[in-house]
Amino acid sequence: MSDILPPGSVIGILGGGQLGRMLSVAAARLGYLTHIYEPAANPPAGHVADRVTTASYEDADSLRAFAASVDVITYEFENVPTAALDLLEAAKPIRPNRRALAVSQDRIAEKDFLTGLGLTCAPYAAVSDMDSLQAAIAQVGTPAILKTTRLGYDGKGQARLRSADDAGAALADMNGAPAVLEGFISFTHEVSVIAARGLDGAVSCYDPGENVHKDGILHTTTLPANLSLAQRTDAVLLAARILNALDYVGVMGVELFVTPKGLIVNEIAPRVHNSGHWTQNGCAVDQFEQHIRAVAGWPLGDGSRHSDVVMENLIGDDILRVPQIATEKHAALHLYGKHEARPGRKMGHVNRVTPK
Amino acid sequence: MSDILPPGSVIGILGGGQLGRMLSVAAARLGYLTHIYEPAANPPAGHVADRVTTASYEDADSLRAFAASVDVITYEFENVPTAALDLLEAAKPIRPNRRALAVSQDRIAEKDFLTGLGLTCAPYAAVSDMDSLQAAIAQVGTPAILKTTRLGYDGKGQARLRSADDAGAALADMNGAPAVLEGFISFTHEVSVIAARGLDGAVSCYDPGENVHKDGILHTTTLPANLSLAQRTDAVLLAARILNALDYVGVMGVELFVTPKGLIVNEIAPRVHNSGHWTQNGCAVDQFEQHIRAVAGWPLGDGSRHSDVVMENLIGDDILRVPQIATEKHAALHLYGKHEARPGRKMGHVNRVTPK
């Protein structure tokens, strides 16, 4: 256990949103302090962190001071600029490692990596201009979806092509950014596996949850998912293969489409994941603590599921329903301390917990 | 629901130990900020609070500035000096209220209050000098225990009298402080009820837990407790009677001795309580959130117990067992971020959670 970060050590977290907030709480529970690095002022994670640096990812002095003040660095979002990571990594270990970030920052790199592991993704082709888009349409077919290769999330930087006629409009939506055309696949539902890998190489996966999206944003995750035992085993083994291949340390979210022909990987996120929020009220050790355990060199904890849970995201004006939800039986609320309830903004979530 | 403190409001917490720490996390989960007031530097609660004031309870300027910065004031320990409370209460509401504090700050006031409600306590008599001690021994009998009326906890400020011969030594131990002689009673075990009362007067009690002490400090709390259904009902009704009589708002710990003749009240604590830590992993809404809900004017949440739990305190060098506990199945660790593991110091706790 000599790799364990001593009590009182400081875990640096890049990003100060709700994921950083819940990571901070988990770190405290294990006896650590956290230092948040976040460009935006008054980040949700700052309310429960020991320290906050408000500075951009281009501010080399602030990055250096941050790195000097912490013992290990992790992140709550994957789009940290490469130059900032170079600078940070020169001073302190970054977990999960750079390869996980490189792969997940670029949709094409991610799909190449996954298919290289023998996993199945939706058909895809790189798009940089109208010629390559036409070739991609010929290869992938329509309907399809064109996405920027970088920096897209929650439906942003995406355009649908019902037919080849939509090519011009979709390409214009990319604003000249490198893109990837993804074919649609026929799936019955989406599940995700929250997988963790420790510094010692041990892998532990949470029971897969079933996701329902609304307006391109996760709406609910339901445990147990509608999966056969064989599918459940496939999902977990597939996630473990990804983590091992990356020599990954931490928690990863792996989104899967369930099809009659097997599981197809939709995307991976090298961090704690919205579809893993149910673990806060369904397991002795939740995804946030599991991530901190991995990053801090602890053995992974017991993530077995003790209850059935339905996690519901509270988006924008859903926050107005909190007084009603607060009176519900079985309801565990988790609010993010965001002041302004903009449309599409994740304001909190509720885990509804019932016996298995 | 108009009494609900708006999101983003600041809850002031007097005391920065582990109880304040876990209250801060619960407050954040409901969308509030916390401001800790604590005389000692680098308090555990500070790691997860938005703001910390390090100042004494005699520092009127700091108290006023603290009160001005918060929307409501609560506390994690009951021995806040009266003058400080006067000053704070002039500016902002204190919940639970002053009467609860006055009663629990003085062992004799507490016992007078409880017996006045028709509840049973161990026999007791006030002691200020050798004459009153001799009279108290005649009334209460021996063996007995002499305790200072104020500021005692976890076995401090206490002396045992095996017989009247110990009177002189016991009195000397009080250092001239007003004291109370408590008779021993014959009980089979100790339980405690963690009871909550909302701003609207609604009362909700957690399932009673069974406590085992070691060296005068709580060692374990086990759920379910060894209680008949009738005893369980008695315990909960009795706790509700106490809270209603005090027009109490918040969570209270009520320690009870189980005897063949019924339940005897050992003591009450007007705050979240060590014997309620099991609720963190046994209920949708734990005692810390329940307290914040009450203080912030929310409806009380669902505190029904979904699992069996054994809470074990990690005292002093017990912290060295953490690496081993971290690998246990069913174990949920909660560490307090204290740097130095002094003997008798509460360093953390572990909840071992199994299906009901």
Side-chain angles (χ1 to χ4, degrees):
Chain A
M1 314 287 279
S2 58
D3 287 331
I4 290 188
L5 210 59
S9 298
V10 182
I11 297 179
I13 301 176
L14 304 174
Q18 63 269 16
L19 301 181
R21 177 177 170 100
M22 294 183 278
L23 285 169
S24 276
V25 167
R29 206 160 58 224
L30 297 184
Y32 296 115
L33 303 172
T34 54
H35 184 167
I36 303 292
Y37 194 100
E38 164 64 50
N42 189 26
H47 306 164
V48 289
D50 190 57
R51 203 168 149 196
V52 182
T53 292
T54 305
S56 83
Y57 287 117
E58 282 71 46
D59 179 343
D61 288 342
S62 293
L63 287 166
R64 268 188 219 102
F66 170 78
S69 77
V70 305
D71 296 289
V72 62
I73 297 169
T74 188
Y75 44 88
E76 61 139 33
F77 88 125
E78 55 270 41
N79 291 314
V80 180
T82 300
L85 293 168
D86 288 342
L87 207 151
L88 294 169
E89 198 177 31
K92 293 292 157 58
I94 299 180
R95 296 176 187 153
N97 63 32
R98 294 290 297 279
R99 177 138 184 253
L101 275 169
V103 160
S104 63
Q105 282 184 348
D106 184 301
R107 291 183 196 277
I108 293 174
E110 181 178 311
K111 289 167 195 298
D112 288 349
F113 164 71
L114 293 168
T115 52
L117 284 181
L119 307 178
T120 311
C121 298
Y124 66 99
V127 170
S128 55
D129 54 21
M130 185 49 82
D131 282 353
S132 53
L133 177 53
Q134 294 297 357
I137 292 171
Q139 181 189 334
V140 164
T142 56
I145 188 157
L146 190 64
K147 300 177 176 177
T148 56
T149 59
R150 290 179 163 263
L151 286 171
Y153 61 96
D154 285 347
K156 289 161 193 154
Q158 304 195 357
R160 286 184 183 234
L161 287 81
R162 274 157 302 181
S163 72
D165 296 345
D166 293 335
L171 194 61
D173 277 357
M174 299 299 107
N175 276 317
V180 56
L181 188 71
E182 294 179 14
F184 272 92
I185 49 158
S186 173
F187 62 95
T188 53
H189 51 295
E190 186 200 289
V191 298
S192 56
V193 180
I194 306 300
R197 188 168 178 276
L199 203 52
D200 59 359
V203 172
S204 176
C205 296
Y206 290 93
D207 198 7
E210 183 168 338
N211 301 326
V212 173
H213 294 78
K214 208 162 87 176
D215 303 328
I217 303 176
L218 183 64
H219 174 48
T220 58
T221 301
T222 298
L223 278 288
N226 178 18
L227 286 177
S228 68
L229 184 58
Q231 287 171 322
R232 203 172 297 261
T233 306
D234 281 354
V236 162
L237 290 178
L238 171 164
R241 200 187 309 176
I242 296 170
L243 270 63
N244 285 329
L246 292 169
D247 194 19
Y248 195 84
V249 172
V251 162
M252 172 183 279
V254 180
E255 294 180 11
L256 302 169
F257 295 130
V258 183
T259 81
K261 292 182 189 165
L263 300 172
I264 292 180
V265 185
N266 178 27
E267 63 179 24
I268 62 177
R271 50 167 169 80
V272 290
H273 197 257
N274 194 164
S275 67
H277 291 0
W278 68 269
T279 59
Q280 294 175 307
N281 297 95
C283 307
V285 173
D286 70 18
Q287 68 163 346
F288 302 101
E289 178 172 334
Q290 203 72 298
H291 185 79
I292 297 294
R293 279 177 175 245
V295 163
W298 283 48
L300 298 180
D302 182 1
S304 60
R305 182 169 65 81
H306 59 63
S307 299
D308 287 351
V309 188
V310 179
M311 188 287 303
E312 180 191 352
N313 267 337
L314 303 176
I315 309 282
D317 282 348
D318 288 344
I319 196 76
L320 302 175
R321 287 167 39 218
V322 164
Q324 189 272 317
I325 295 169
T327 66
E328 270 181 40
K329 205 159 162 55
H330 306 306
L333 272 162
H334 300 263
L335 306 184
Y336 305 152
K338 298 179 182 175
H339 294 314
E340 204 190 337
R342 293 195 293 269
R345 194 175 199 203
K346 291 177 179 173
M347 302 299 293
H349 65 274
V350 54
N351 286 328
R352 295 186 172 88
V353 194
T354 50
K356 250 167 106 169
Chain B
M1 313 290 278
S2 58
D3 287 331
I4 290 189
L5 210 59
S9 298
V10 182
I11 297 179
I13 301 177
L14 303 173
Q18 64 269 18
L19 301 180
R21 178 176 168 98
M22 293 182 278
L23 285 170
S24 275
V25 168
R29 207 161 56 222
L30 297 183
Y32 297 116
L33 303 172
T34 54
H35 184 168
I36 303 292
Y37 193 100
E38 163 65 49
N42 189 25
H47 307 166
V48 288
D50 190 57
R51 204 169 149 194
V52 182
T53 293
T54 304
S56 82
Y57 288 116
E58 283 70 46
D59 181 343
D61 287 344
S62 292
L63 287 166
R64 269 188 218 101
F66 171 77
S69 78
V70 305
D71 296 289
V72 63
I73 296 168
T74 190
Y75 44 88
E76 62 139 34
F77 89 125
E78 55 270 41
N79 291 316
V80 181
T82 300
L85 293 168
D86 288 343
L87 208 152
L88 294 169
E89 198 177 30
K92 293 290 158 58
I94 299 180
R95 295 175 187 153
N97 62 34
R98 293 292 297 278
R99 178 140 184 252
L101 275 169
V103 159
S104 62
Q105 281 184 350
D106 184 301
R107 290 184 197 276
I108 294 176
E110 182 177 310
K111 288 167 194 300
D112 289 350
F113 163 70
L114 293 168
T115 52
L117 284 181
L119 306 179
T120 310
C121 298
Y124 66 100
V127 170
S128 55
D129 53 22
M130 186 50 82
D131 282 353
S132 52
L133 177 53
Q134 295 296 358
I137 291 171
Q139 180 190 332
V140 163
T142 56
I145 189 157
L146 189 64
K147 299 177 177 177
T148 55
T149 59
R150 290 179 164 263
L151 285 172
Y153 62 96
D154 284 347
K156 288 162 194 155
Q158 305 195 358
R160 287 185 181 232
L161 287 83
R162 273 157 303 178
S163 73
D165 295 344
D166 294 335
L171 194 61
D173 278 357
M174 300 298 108
N175 276 318
V180 57
L181 188 73
E182 294 179 14
F184 272 92
I185 48 157
S186 172
F187 62 95
T188 53
H189 51 295
E190 186 199 290
V191 298
S192 56
V193 180
I194 306 301
R197 188 168 177 276
L199 203 52
D200 59 359
V203 171
S204 176
C205 295
Y206 289 94
D207 198 6
E210 183 168 337
N211 301 326
V212 173
H213 294 79
K214 208 162 86 176
D215 304 328
I217 303 176
L218 183 65
H219 174 48
T220 58
T221 301
T222 299
L223 279 289
N226 178 17
L227 286 176
S228 68
L229 185 57
Q231 287 171 323
R232 203 171 296 260
T233 306
D234 281 354
V236 163
L237 289 177
L238 174 164
R241 201 188 308 176
I242 296 170
L243 270 62
N244 284 328
L246 292 170
D247 193 20
Y248 194 84
V249 173
V251 162
M252 173 183 279
V254 180
E255 293 181 12
L256 303 169
F257 294 130
V258 182
T259 83
K261 293 181 186 163
L263 301 172
I264 291 180
V265 185
N266 178 27
E267 63 178 25
I268 62 176
R271 51 168 169 78
V272 289
H273 197 257
N274 195 166
S275 67
H277 291 359
W278 67 269
T279 59
Q280 294 175 306
N281 297 95
C283 306
V285 173
D286 70 18
Q287 67 163 347
F288 302 100
E289 178 173 332
Q290 203 72 298
H291 186 79
I292 297 293
R293 280 177 175 245
V295 164
W298 283 48
L300 298 179
D302 183 0
S304 60
R305 182 169 64 80
H306 60 62
S307 297
D308 288 351
V309 188
V310 179
M311 188 288 304
E312 179 191 354
N313 268 337
L314 302 176
I315 310 284
D317 281 349
D318 288 345
I319 196 77
L320 301 175
R321 289 166 41 219
V322 163
Q324 189 274 317
I325 295 169
T327 65
E328 272 182 38
K329 205 159 159 58
H330 306 306
L333 272 162
H334 300 263
L335 305 184
Y336 305 154
K338 298 178 183 176
H339 295 314
E340 204 190 335
R342 293 194 294 268
R345 193 175 200 203
K346 291 177 179 172
M347 302 300 292
H349 65 274
V350 54
N351 287 327
R352 295 187 173 89
V353 194
T354 50
K356 252 168 105 169

